[in-house]
């Protein structure tokens, strides 16, 4: 008979809470290492994504999506899955310079992304 052993504990990192929608996008070369939960904006000219920084003027200053997993786009474009709708744990977001939870929430609500502070 097979023996099951405890290999460790599974601890979910509940970035998304409940139903959500995702899609594949391109993270622009030079973006560096971006962590799971990074708020991204889309560059208007090439439709690629960067960390959303409020002072940018290339379109990426507008929060558009949330990165699902860490990526390294230091030296090349990288395909990544991003969340484009759903409820997200606001405490797990990585915000770019100049953004606050309030500033991204105002934009995300128009995109059906809801920032939630989990209870408990």
């Amino acid at each position: 008979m097979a023996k099951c052993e405890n290999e460790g504990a599974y601890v979910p990192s509940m970035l998304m809470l409940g139903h959500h929608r995702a899609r594949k996008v391109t993270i622009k070369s030079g973006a560096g290492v971006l962590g799971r939960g990074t708020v991204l904006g889309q560059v208007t000219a090439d439709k690629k994504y960067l960390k959303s920084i409020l002072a940018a003027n290339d379109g990426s200053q507008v929060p558009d999506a949330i990165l699902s997993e860490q990526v390294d786009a230091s030296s090349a474009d990288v395909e990544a899955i991003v969340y484009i709708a759903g409820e997200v744990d606001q405490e797990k977001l990585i915000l770019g310079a100049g953004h606050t939870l309030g500033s991204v929430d105002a934009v995300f609500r128009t995109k059906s992304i809801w920032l939630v502070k989990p209870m408990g």
Side-chain angles (χ1 to χ4, degrees):
M1 176 179 239
K3 181 178 177 185
C4 295
E5 294 183 24
N6 184 358
E7 294 292 327
Y10 171 70
V11 180
S13 62
M14 302 288 291
L15 174 63
M16 298 306 290
L17 309 169
H19 296 288
H20 56 274
R21 294 192 57 191
R23 67 181 170 127
K24 189 185 305 184
V25 302
T26 301
I27 307 297
K28 190 174 181 116
S29 177
V33 177
L34 302 176
R36 181 174 197 252
T38 298
V39 174
L40 302 172
Q42 187 179 47
V43 177
T44 305
D46 60 15
K47 305 301 183 200
K48 296 178 183 178
Y49 282 76
L50 293 170
K51 185 175 193 176
S52 184
I53 296 172
L54 190 60
N57 61 4
D58 58 4
S60 68
Q61 69 274 14
V62 179
D64 190 61
I66 300 166
L67 189 59
S68 69
E69 294 295 332
Q70 179 174 306
V71 298
D72 184 353
S74 298
S75 60
D77 287 353
V78 175
E79 287 191 340
I81 302 298
V82 298
Y83 297 115
I84 59 170
E87 293 181 346
V88 61
D89 181 344
Q90 69 184 22
E91 295 173 350
K92 294 196 168 80
L93 290 181
I94 299 171
L95 303 176
H99 281 300
T100 65
L101 286 176
S103 70
V104 298
D105 184 46
V107 177
F108 277 164
R109 280 184 285 138
T110 68
K111 299 175 180 291
S112 296
I113 298 175
W114 308 99
L115 302 187
V116 176
K117 183 173 183 176
M119 296 171 59

